[in-house]
Amino acid sequence: MSTDHRLSPEHEELRRTVEAFAHDVVAPKIGEFWEQHEFPYEIIREMGRMGLFGLPFPEEYGGMGGDYFTLCLAIEELARVDSSVAVTLEAGVSLGAMPIFRYGTEEQKRRWLPGLCSGESLGAFGLTEPGGGSDAGATRTTARLDEATGEWVINGTKCFITNSGTDITALITVTAVTGRKPDGSPEISTIIVPSGTPGLTVAAPYSKVGWNASDTRELSFSDCRVPADHLLGEKGRGYAQFLQILDEGRIAISAMATGLAQGCVDESVAYAKTREAFGRPIGANQAIQFKIADMEMRAHMARVAWRDAASRLVRGEPFKKEASIAKLYSSEVAVTNAREATQVHGGYGFMNEYPVARMWRDSKILEIGEGTSEVQRMLIARDLGLAG
């Protein structure tokens, strides 16, 4: 099996294009959005016009005809500058649009994917519940089919749902218990709920530690009704579907964590070259040099990890363990690099006007979202045959 992860000319061209966009368009504006907890609609629209939301989807649905590796390249470059913009793309594609592409009917794909691929609309993935957390199988949200009206009737609550309440959110894909299996365990299915559906209440945005320019909310469903044909995939297969979606999404989160880790290196190198203490740049001190060298080493190895997992996915090979390794390693690397970059910047690293302050606050959630570090260790151990 090849382990050569050098970029093709097409991939390198995309990477450079997104890198330039991140530095020329995102970097000058995002600090103000982040400080004011505002969603950067114009930046997201420009990303849509670039085709970033359609990267891994076929052209027949409005996509760019790329693959998951291509998407992750774009996510990493955005995260080198800002994680709020990066997670909006990551969640909009891997959690919002990908379930419809993977499991939707032809009619569902043609109805929803063009808008999602263009960035004119966003999708959200309603999985996590207030009492569930990592135990996604303990879903309490229910959906029953009203035979008289031919509608699903949904009741329950979801929390921490990204992209669920923006002005351009088009749909939320919701996991819900739709019955019981012969052994008494819950039968979980996935249902598409369009934004604005009566019975769906979208709460105010959370007050968060980081990702302040992204949209994250709680959702509640009270006799929320959608047509029967809004079932996504096979009834009772929702649990298996979202496990696959999360496996893929962990690679994208790893790419985002790698971008943040590399962004910490970028900012630290630039600061160390210009900040003087005791008559010379602090970058001339070996203590600072070694600190930044270790940061670069960690970012490099995180990149190797996600590219390996993404390459396996694209080739159709097993990738579950490699995705968990990449997600676990890169998220912890991002937290470490953010802490070290703040130390390199000294007191200025504690000021929000410096990007490393945002990176420090943005990094921690990477060890939690789409599977905590503890869950990743559990999955890796299970793959090694160490059953619990």
Side-chain angles (χ1 to χ4, degrees), residues 16-333:
R16 289 183 179 276
T17 298
V18 180
E19 178 186 37
F21 172 80
H23 284 87
D24 297 343
V25 177
V26 179
K29 304 175 182 177
I30 198 61
E32 184 175 353
F33 287 109
W34 200 95
E35 288 275 2
Q36 297 180 6
H37 294 242
E38 290 185 6
F39 190 77
Y41 285 101
E42 183 52 41
I43 291 176
I44 300 305
R45 278 192 288 268
E46 291 191 48
M47 289 164 56
R49 288 192 287 267
M50 292 172 64
L52 300 188
F53 287 91
L55 280 174
F57 302 115
E59 294 179 9
E60 64 180 302
Y61 300 120
M64 299 294 288
D67 54 30
Y68 214 88
F69 190 96
T70 310
L71 169 67
C72 291
L73 280 176
I75 290 172
E76 180 184 340
E77 290 303 322
L78 290 171
R80 287 178 70 170
V81 169
D82 178 70
S83 291
S84 293
V85 169
V87 76
T88 299
L89 176 63
E90 187 276 333
V93 177
S94 70
L95 299 181
M98 192 59 73
I100 294 176
F101 176 65
R102 294 280 188 225
Y103 309 114
T105 64
E106 190 62 26
E107 190 279 330
Q108 288 170 339
K109 293 177 184 178
R110 296 198 178 278
R111 175 179 178 183
W112 297 109
L113 285 180
L116 297 175
C117 288
S118 69
E120 295 176 4
S121 60
L122 291 174
F125 190 49
L127 171 63
T128 307
E129 299 191 356
S134 296
D135 187 7
T139 298
R140 295 185 177 181
T141 296
T142 63
R144 65 174 179 85
L145 187 59
D146 186 338
E147 300 288 354
T149 63
E151 295 174 317
W152 291 105
V153 184
I154 306 170
N155 287 280
T157 305
K158 301 291 182 178
C159 64
F160 311 140
I161 310 303
T162 304
N163 292 344
S164 59
T166 73
D167 293 345
I168 57 175
T169 299
L171 63 95
I172 301 110
T173 301
V174 179
T175 54
V177 176
T178 52
R180 292 285 166 180
K181 297 179 181 179
D183 63 0
S185 62
E187 171 196 84
I188 298 177
S189 303
T190 313
I191 299 170
I192 301 171
V193 180
S195 297
T197 300
L200 165 61
T201 301
V202 181
Y206 288 106
S207 175
K208 297 174 292 189
V209 171
W211 287 2
N212 287 346
S214 71
D215 180 78
T216 318
R217 304 179 191 237
E218 182 176 273
L219 307 174
S220 61
F221 303 87
S222 179
D223 290 336
C224 179
R225 291 175 172 265
V226 298
D229 64 5
H230 281 40
L231 177 72
L232 182 63
E234 182 182 344
K235 183 174 180 287
R237 292 286 297 168
Y239 189 81
Q241 290 173 189
F242 74 66
L243 286 180
Q244 181 178 348
I245 291 298
L246 289 179
D247 286 341
E248 297 178 358
R250 284 166 186 149
I251 303 174
I253 290 291
S254 178
M256 185 162 65
T258 301
L260 187 149
Q262 189 65 58
C264 289
V265 176
D266 299 340
E267 295 296 330
S268 296
V269 168
Y271 186 80
K273 287 180 177 179
T274 57
R275 172 73 165 97
E276 292 193 358
F278 304 104
R280 63 177 184 172
I282 64 172
N285 298 317
Q286 196 173 69
I288 298 296
Q289 293 174 357
F290 283 10
K291 189 182 293 290
I292 296 176
D294 284 345
M295 291 166 62
E296 173 71 5
M297 174 190 66
R298 288 188 287 265
H300 174 82
M301 294 310 299
R303 183 173 301 109
V304 170
W306 83 247
R307 288 188 180 183
D308 174 60
S311 296
R312 291 170 183 268
L313 168 60
V314 170
R315 292 195 300 264
E317 299 172 359
F319 66 91
K320 185 182 182 75
K321 180 184 71 174
E322 288 75 17
S324 286
I325 290 172
K327 201 274 184 183
L328 171 62
Y329 180 75
S330 60
S331 62
E332 295 190 346
V333 160

Side-chain angles (χ1 to χ4, degrees), residues 31 34-35 267 271 341-343 345-361:
W34 200 95
E35 288 275 2
E267 295 296 330
Y271 186 80
T342 303
Q343 193 71 16
H345 281 68
Y348 290 109
F350 204 62
M351 301 295 112
N352 282 332
E353 65 185 280
Y354 282 79
V356 294
R358 296 200 307 271
M359 292 173 178
W360 184 47
R361 292 172 64 178

